[in-house]
Amino acid sequence: MTTSTPAPASTPVLSSTPVLEAVDLVRRFGPVTAVDHVSLRIEPGQTFGLLGPNGAGKTTTISMICGLLSPDGGSVHVAGVPMAQEPLAAKRRLGLVPQDLAVYPEISARQNLTFFGRLQGLHGAELRTRVGEVLELVGLSDRAKEPSKKFSGGMKRRLNIGIGLLHHPDLLVLDEPTVGVDPQSRNAILESVEALAGQGMAVLYTTHYMEEAQRLCDRVAIVDDGRVQAEGTQDELIELTGGVDTIVLSGGGDVAAAEVSLRGIPVVQKVARDGNHLRLVVQNAPTAVAGVVRTVSDAGMNLSDVVIQRPDLESVFLHLTGKALRD
Amino acid sequence: MRTLLVLVARDLRQHVSDRSVLLFGLLIPFALSYVFNLAFSGLDDPQLGEVAVVVSAPTGDPAADAVVGTLGALADQGIPVTVLEAGPGEVADLVASGEADLGVTVPEGFGAAVAAGEGARVELAQGADTGLAADVVSGIVTATVQRLDADAATVAGAAGAGLDEAALGALAADLAAAAPQVEWAERTVAGEQLGLAGGIVAGQAGMFLFFTVGFAVLALLTEREWGTLPRLRTMPIPAWQIPFAKAVVGLILGTVSTSVLLASGQLLFDGVDFGWWPAVLVLVVATVAAATSVIALVVRYARTAEQASLLMSVIAISLGVTGGTFFRVPTDGLVGTLLQVNPVAALVRGLGITAGGGGIPDLAPVLLTLLAFTLVILVLARLVPGRKDAL
């Protein structure tokens, strides 16, 4: 993807006004509470990550933020505009890139952008200019006249993002934009998000990929079971682990028995199993690793690899929830 | 309003380029109308075939001549009759052999017997499978004989009352020469049923209208599957504009396709004339609105576009069949009254009224029926629990 200088927002957000302020959001589906008192605050120019496994409540949260679902409790303000009282004005301030593709397959990329641009209130020369800029930004200028059904998956994803950017929103909401995308397109999408953030656009980015949150986000909220488990900068979150390390054990044999044995060692604070991998949170990995290896070997696990990791968001998630991020 | 126009324009452009709308909205119903019209043409205007009548009647008998003369006059009424003369003993044989369709035997002394009030016997013999024309001729001969009998009874009554012979003769002559005192005439009135061809065209248009409107309104479910529906709902437009735009597109497509079908039927099929077109257009718009309400109910109920298409087809065919698309349905009694609520039946009935010269005031009962139907279905659609769409 290439980048271009964005047009200024029609109504600049005051620096003191958060681009998004969601307070105590609650949403229930029957007996299930999908979102349980979630509060988020995003400042102008910030890239904010919502990190959590599938089913954590991320999509329901942004559905309420974008005005697609009415919350059972709490409030949403976009650039100071209340979503409940002034939905049209609030929606004008944000752009959504949904997880599933949301483009008309029978019409071209340019026609898709023009149609959604008109609904955003753009018209005439302004609309034509902005459509051209976005086509350039998402790297589809050469294919602008082709029906989008002829595009590759990655190209459709880029068009999907372009539609969200078209009216130059104060807040761009991206819901798992790299799910099901090949590595090359994924990297292109991440680069374009970095470029937008570099231009000062506030971004709310949901993902269950720890490495994407680490790469893109200034602040991250870790969500699980519909609740924000922790929120802060990456350093602040890692501090929550108390400086613990992670040991990842891989191998065959009796992995389940090894997991049970490890729970009995005092230096091991948490254990999570992911197939033939065991992820341990320990206080001091270099000194603990010898005892850990001996324990799993005695339990019948045939080790093929041992990796010691510095604390990362995965470790934080494990520390906070006792689960691996992809459980 | 500007965004509503943007939504409507996009959908219209898509449907115009979509061959399904052209196929189900115009080509298939027109082709079916053509085929049905060919298959059933003439059923509502039967042509009477030639009838051969063998007659045995005494010569010089005015009453017998009156009976035979009736047969000769039938050609003027559009029933070609060939009269064969035969002896009294030959009539039955000629009918039995198929050489004649009908045999009439007037006995010797028929006129004198009738005049004397003594009674007389005219024999009619009709061959097997001789058809409608022979039935008609038989009926006419019977009626003629009955009239002669009534005249004779009148003369006999007058004689009994003491009229002299000269006066009786004059009375008998008057009765024989008198034209019928009661006449009947056919007159076209608003509210009559459509002719067969008109009924076929109207029925097909009414049934396929549901498919045309369905394509427009069910696009809402297609958009749900494309993911564009949630994206539209994040746009700064009033939420009601999204389904309303689909309904407007349905109204436009339904009205245009139905009007084109009716106009084509009127131009291309013999004997089809739906009357005053402004009234026809009002009726069409009311019917399309009713069809749109039905599809709105389907959209609320169905979970997928496939399920909705299936439901729509079942409803369209059911309403088409019970609305008179393929055969005429009863219009009286409880069942008939209930069936008249059906929008297809209402369209066919309304077109019958306009075809009979009726205007918009004459259509009022039909239009009110359609309006009530639309409102009830829309209320039902509101009561059906809808989907809670998230991303």
Side-chain angles (χ1 to χ4, degrees):
Chain A
M1 287 188 207
T2 56
T3 59
S4 68
T5 307
S10 53
T11 310
V13 179
L14 297 175
S15 58
S16 59
T17 308
V19 170
L20 174 69
E21 189 166 33
V23 180
D24 267 342
L25 289 178
V26 176
R27 177 69 197 198
R28 299 183 192 90
F29 294 104
V32 177
T33 302
V35 174
D36 190 2
H37 295 90
V38 167
S39 297
L40 303 172
R41 182 184 171 98
I42 302 178
E43 303 296 338
Q46 203 170 57
T47 302
F48 192 100
L50 214 51
L51 178 67
N54 292 327
K58 304 187 297 294
T59 298
T60 305
T61 301
I62 64 168
S63 290
M64 288 187 281
I65 288 171
C66 295
L68 283 167
L69 275 180
S70 299
D72 292 323
S75 64
V76 173
H77 285 72
V78 182
V81 181
M83 180 62 79
Q85 286 77 30
E86 300 175 52
L88 302 192
K91 286 176 179 178
R92 230 170 251 126
R93 300 300 193 109
L94 60 81
L96 171 69
V97 179
Q99 181 175 341
D100 296 323
L101 289 172
V103 299
Y104 290 102
E106 307 294 333
I107 59 177
S108 70
R110 185 181 294 280
Q111 287 170 323
N112 265 290
L113 289 167
T114 303
F115 170 67
F116 285 110
R118 286 197 178 119
L119 292 182
Q120 288 287 4
L122 302 175
H123 48 84
E126 184 191 18
L127 175 61
R128 284 193 295 277
T129 304
R130 193 65 194 132
V131 166
E133 284 175 358
V134 170
L135 283 169
E136 191 69 28
L137 178 70
V138 298
L140 291 174
S141 295
D142 296 343
R143 311 283 297 272
K145 292 181 180 174
E146 288 183 30
S148 62
K149 66 183 176 186
K150 291 186 176 177
F151 287 177
S152 68
M155 291 165 71
K156 287 177 188 168
R157 285 271 168 198
R158 276 141 59 193
L159 176 58
N160 203 33
I161 292 174
I163 293 169
L165 294 172
L166 194 62
H167 58 299
H168 210 277
D170 295 320
L171 174 66
L172 180 65
V173 180
L174 296 117
D175 187 18
E176 307 242 23
T178 60
V179 168
V181 172
D182 62 88
Q184 191 180 357
S185 294
R186 183 183 183 198
N187 196 48
I189 289 169
L190 295 179
E191 279 178 3
S192 69
V193 175
E194 286 173 324
L196 291 166
Q199 292 161 7
M201 182 178 285
V203 176
L204 172 57
Y205 191 98
T206 80
T207 183
H208 64 272
Y209 295 124
M210 178 269 299
E211 56 272 27
E212 289 184 5
Q214 284 195 161
R215 174 173 166 178
L216 297 174
C217 300
D218 306 319
R219 293 182 73 82
V220 175
I222 291 177
V223 290
D224 190 40
D225 291 335
R227 284 189 289 271
V228 173
Q229 305 292 336
E231 191 243 307
T233 64
Q234 292 187 38
D235 288 342
E236 287 169 346
L237 290 172
I238 286 168
E239 271 182 31
L240 293 175
T241 64
V244 294
D245 297 327
T246 301
I247 298 174
V248 180
L249 306 173
S250 304
D254 199 344
V255 182
E259 182 186 1
V260 172
S261 299
L262 286 170
R263 293 189 191 281
I265 301 179
V267 295
V268 176
Q269 294 182 357
K270 286 192 176 7
V271 183
R273 183 179 170 197
D274 180 12
N276 284 339
H277 306 282
L278 291 172
R279 179 176 283 271
L280 325 177
V281 175
V282 298
Q283 191 61 46
N284 186 337
T287 57
V289 70
V292 165
V293 168
R294 193 179 318 115
T295 302
V296 298
S297 297
D298 290 349
M301 181 176 177
N302 304 318
L303 282 174
S304 60
D305 196 17
V306 178
V307 177
I308 296 175
Q309 293 178 342
R310 291 295 300 152
D312 57 15
L313 292 177
E314 184 87 39
S315 317
V316 177
F317 191 83
L318 179 61
H319 174 78
L320 292 171
T321 67
K323 297 185 283 190
L325 198 48
R326 292 187 182 114
D327 277 358
Chain B
M1 187 53 73
R2 185 191 178 93
T3 50
L4 180 64
L5 291 176
V6 171
L7 290 168
V8 169
R10 197 211 74 80
D11 276 16
L12 275 179
R13 210 173 293 132
Q14 181 194 324
H15 290 304
V16 166
S17 62
D18 182 358
R19 289 184 193 137
S20 302
V21 173
L22 184 67
L23 202 63
F24 281 87
L26 291 173
L27 296 182
I28 292 180
F30 187 79
L32 282 176
S33 297
Y34 182 74
V35 169
F36 285 141
N37 196 40
L38 276 184
F40 299 122
S41 62
L43 285 189
D44 61 341
D45 185 19
Q47 298 297 310
L48 298 177
E50 188 171 333
V51 182
V53 182
V54 55
V55 177
S56 167
T59 53
D61 185 331
D65 289 345
V67 175
V68 177
T70 303
L71 295 172
L74 286 175
D76 297 337
Q77 307 298 319
I79 307 174
V81 175
T82 304
V83 179
L84 310 169
E85 293 183 9
E90 298 168 326
V91 171
D93 292 340
L94 287 169
V95 172
S97 69
E99 289 181 54
D101 300 305
L102 194 68
V104 181
T105 305
V106 182
E108 286 290 340
F110 172 71
V114 169
E118 294 170 356
R121 181 185 175 91
V122 175
E123 288 184 358
L124 280 177
Q126 187 172 348
D129 301 328
T130 46
L132 182 62
D135 290 342
V136 171
V137 173
S138 171
I140 288 170
V141 170
T142 304
T144 304
V145 170
Q146 284 171 344
R147 186 179 168 207
L148 287 171
D149 184 40
D151 292 349
T154 303
V155 173
L163 236 61
D164 62 32
E165 196 168 325
L168 285 174
L171 175 62
D174 287 348
L175 286 170
Q181 295 302 302
V182 180
E183 291 184 344
W184 64 275
E186 191 176 15
R187 188 165 66 88
T188 300
V189 294
E192 71 171 357
Q193 283 201 325
L194 286 167
L196 188 69
I200 288 171
V201 173
Q204 296 297 323
M207 186 175 77
F208 280 91
L209 161 66
F210 281 85
F211 289 97
T212 312
V213 173
F215 283 123
V217 181
L218 297 184
L220 208 58
L221 296 176
T222 309
E223 293 223 30
R224 190 186 282 166
E225 291 175 0
W226 282 345
T228 46
L229 183 60
R231 171 157 256 157
L232 285 176
R233 293 174 61 217
T234 65
M235 295 286 130
I237 57 176
W240 60 265
Q241 283 192 0
I242 300 168
F244 188 70
K246 306 293 182 200
V248 170
V249 172
L251 276 171
I252 294 171
L253 288 179
T255 303
V256 170
S257 67
T258 306
S259 302
V260 169
L261 268 176
L262 295 177
S264 308
Q266 182 166 318
L267 284 172
L268 300 175
F269 296 142
D270 289 337
V272 177
D273 185 350
F274 294 114
W276 192 50
W277 271 88
V280 172
L281 282 176
V282 169
L283 177 66
V284 167
V285 170
T287 311
V288 175
T292 305
S293 70
V294 172
I295 306 298
L297 181 62
V298 170
V299 169
R300 289 284 285 187
Y301 180 76
R303 292 294 180 237
T304 63
E306 190 181 18
Q307 190 184 32
S309 296
L310 189 65
L311 265 174
M312 184 188 74
S313 302
V314 169
I315 289 172
I317 291 170
S318 302
L319 290 177
V321 168
T322 56
T325 298
F326 300 107
F327 48 82
R328 285 183 177 160
V329 292
T331 55
D332 51 0
L334 179 62
V335 174
T337 305
L338 286 175
L339 290 180
Q340 290 308 301
V341 178
N342 177 341
V344 179
L347 175 69
V348 174
R349 187 158 60 109
L351 288 172
I353 291 171
T354 57
I360 292 172
D362 300 305
L363 283 175
V366 176
L367 295 176
L368 286 174
T369 301
L370 287 168
L371 179 66
F373 179 91
T374 305
L375 292 176
V376 167
I377 299 297
L378 285 177
V379 168
L380 275 178
R382 289 289 299 170
L383 295 177
V384 171
R387 281 176 57 101
K388 305 283 187 198
D389 282 297
L391 292 179

